[in-house]
């Protein structure tokens, strides 16, 4: 489901309160198909990675040179009152599904919530596209997606459902190149939006291509064919990844576009393979020499030692400020802050929970500064579970209200490495939305 991006880049800043106006239309017809982090442990920052083109690739200096001159609102934590309020004891079960991007975090939240309340929140990591489809078909009580509800579905179900962010995450490029594995060289690759696009377009086919070598003068890259790994299922991670390429590298937008699924040029021109879920891509790259793939940060973090033995994770250049960033908490927070500032500068305030959020995702990606590939994770809830025909509607609605109230308050302080908390103003927007969930 391709969509051509009309607006390539955009504006800036801190999120304010809830807005009532609908947003300007998203690229083409909007989000395709059915279209993160606690303070990072010191282990996140690798020892030296060298210098490229005069840009320091050390994580600390990459995020420290003018990218965060004021505290980032994305690092805001819930108020003391919210953070110390425990949920009541509950009973019952609800089932949600969708984004594999958020699965590590959703699983952690669900387990902790069960320990506190006795209520079960089951989550199925089936991909954002499938999650949205199953939610709209009433087979799930809620869904999670790395991009908002696609415009056509939003219009079809307009006024009946709510969507709001619950956490922020980043997408990283992992690779398997034994000759230059981090364990051997002490360095990770530097990559740009252009090089990544050309790899997935099948134009750059070997690791020793001069365009990659130029970015990594301290590494001797092998002349081995690149295996470009991508998602085989309808994926919000794919939507967020291809949206980034569409914004950052116009030729990608003109030829491929973005969506839950796209037609990958590398499938016809070069070596490639598909895998299901973030889990599948992460494992495929680990098991396939000379491969590259895109996954949510937590999937690299959980396998960090294994990746360092065969390859690593890439520093990415932000085309707007010209710096290379490691996907550490500080650089992702800086990117989220810059992207939100740009949105608010252009549109004033965020949309209401029953409005279209596609333009928010467009402004959020490829931000003016900081790590460039990041996304909100959105949750979809019905406004009235009884009117939508759910059995035990009152019990399910009450459980969903309590769970996401906890997620948006205490849950923001209990994040898996690789996710970052929402600005408090965004969390408040979700809390207000929960008041509309009935019966």
């Amino acid at each position: 489901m391709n969509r051509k991006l009309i607006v390539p880049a955009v504006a800036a800043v801190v999120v304010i309160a809830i807005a009532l106006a609908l947003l300007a239309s998203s690229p083409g017809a909007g989000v395709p198909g059915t279209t993160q982090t606690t303070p990072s442990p010191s282990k996140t920052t690798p020892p030296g990675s060298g210098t490229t083109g005069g840009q320091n690739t050390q994580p600390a200096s990459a995020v420290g040179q003018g990218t965060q001159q004021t505290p980032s609102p994305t690092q805001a934590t819930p108020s003391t009152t919210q953070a110390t309020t425990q949920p009541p004891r509950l009973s019952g079960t609800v089932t949600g599904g969708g984004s594999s991007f958020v699965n590590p975090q959703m699983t952690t939240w669900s387990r902790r919530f069960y320990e506190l309340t006795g209520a079960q929140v089951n989550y199925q990591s089936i991909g954002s596209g499938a999650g949205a489809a199953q939610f709209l078909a009433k087979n799930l009580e809620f869904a999670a997606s790395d991009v908002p509800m696609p415009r056509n579905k939003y219009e079809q179900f307009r006024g009946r459902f709510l969507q709001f962010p619950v956490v922020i995450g980043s997408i990283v490029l992992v690779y398997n190149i034994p000759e230059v594995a981090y364990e051997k060289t002490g360095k990770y690759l530097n990559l740009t939006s252009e090089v990544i696009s050309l790899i997935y377009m099948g134009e750059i086919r070997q690791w020793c291509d001069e365009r990659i070598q130029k970015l990594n003068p301290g590494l001797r890259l092998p002349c081995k064919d690149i295996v470009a790994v991508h998602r085989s299922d309808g994926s919000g991670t794919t939507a967020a990844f291809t949206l980034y390429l569409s914004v950052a590298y116009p030729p990608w937008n003109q030829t491929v576009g973005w969506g839950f699924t796209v037609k990958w040029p590398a499938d016809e021109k070069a070596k490639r393979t598909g895998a299901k879920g973030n889990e599948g891509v992460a494992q495929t790259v680990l098991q396939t020499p000379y491969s590259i793939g895109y996954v949510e940060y937590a999937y690299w973090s959980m396998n960090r030692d294994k990746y360092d033995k065969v390859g690593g994770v890439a520093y990415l250049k932000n085309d707007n400020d010209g710096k290379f960033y490691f996907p550490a908490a500080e650089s992702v927070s800086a990117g989220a802050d810059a992207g939100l500032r740009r949105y608010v500068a252009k549109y004033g305030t965020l949309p209401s929970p029953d409005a279209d959020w596609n333009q928010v995702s467009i402004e959020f990606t490829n931000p003016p500064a900081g790590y460039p590939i990041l996304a909100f994770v959105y949750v979809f809830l019905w406004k009235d579970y009884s009117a939508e025909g759910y059995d035990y509607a009152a019990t399910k609605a009450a459980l969903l209200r309590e769970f996401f109230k906890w997620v948006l308050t205490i849950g923001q302080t209990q994040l898996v490495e690789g996710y970052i908390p929402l600005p408090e103003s965004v969390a408040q927007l979700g809390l207000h939305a929960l008041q509309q969930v009935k019966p």
Side-chain angles (χ1 to χ4, degrees), residues 75 137 152 167 206 216 219 264 301 325 372:
Q75 295 174 327
N152 63 333
V167 77
Q206 289 199 321
N216 300 278
L219 297 174
W264 300 96
S301 178
Y325 289 90

Side-chain angles (χ1 to χ4, degrees), residues 219-297:
L219 297 174
R220 187 172 182 177
L221 294 162
C223 289
K224 298 289 187 177
D225 290 343
I226 299 172
V227 180
V229 183
H230 59 74
R231 290 284 289 276
S232 60
D233 53 332
S235 161
T237 307
T238 293
F241 175 62
T242 54
L243 173 59
Y244 160 70
L245 297 180
S246 292
V247 173
Y249 187 62
W252 177 275
N253 182 59
Q254 295 160 10
T255 58
V256 182
W258 63 287
F260 279 141
T261 60
V262 299
K263 184 176 181 180
W264 300 96
D267 283 3
E268 300 176 356
K269 298 180 181 180
K271 290 187 175 182
R272 52 73 188 162
T273 187
K276 187 175 182 180
N278 273 270
E279 303 92 335
V281 172
Q283 288 304 311
T284 299
V285 172
L286 273 176
Q287 297 166 6
T288 309
Y290 309 110
S291 62
I292 186 171
Y294 56 92
V295 295
E296 202 282 328
Y297 177 102

Side-chain angles (χ1 to χ4, degrees), residues 46-52 57-58 175 177 179-190 215-221 307-308 310-315 326:
S49 257
T51 304
T52 300
T57 58
Q58 302 289 339
Y175 58 90
I177 313 174
E179 291 87 340
V180 295
Y182 181 79
E183 193 172 85
K184 292 182 179 179
T185 65
K187 295 182 179 181
Y188 290 124
L189 288 184
N190 292 316
L215 297 171
N216 300 278
L219 297 174
R220 187 172 182 177
L221 294 162
Y307 275 112
D308 283 353
V310 299
V313 64
Y315 283 74
F326 188 77

Side-chain angles (χ1 to χ4, degrees), residues 36-54:
Q36 310 190 13
T37 68
T38 51
S40 178
S42 57
K43 192 176 179 183
T44 298
T45 302
S49 257
T51 304
T52 300

Side-chain angles (χ1 to χ4, degrees), residues 163-174:
Q163 57 183 335
F164 53 86
V166 291
V167 77
I168 299 170
S170 58
I171 296 173
V172 301
L173 275 296
V174 290

Side-chain angles (χ1 to χ4, degrees), residues 85-131:
T85 301
Q86 295 295 328
R89 295 296 296 180
L90 300 166
S91 62
T93 301
V94 291
T95 300
S99 167
S100 64
F101 181 97
V102 78
N103 186 48
Q105 183 59 63
M106 194 67 75
T107 299
T108 297
W109 277 335
S110 298
R111 182 176 61 250
R112 181 58 178 150
F113 189 73
Y114 175 77
E115 293 169 353
L116 293 170
T117 68
Q120 292 187 332
V121 179
N122 297 323
Y123 186 76
Q124 302 170 1
S125 179
I126 56 177
S128 296

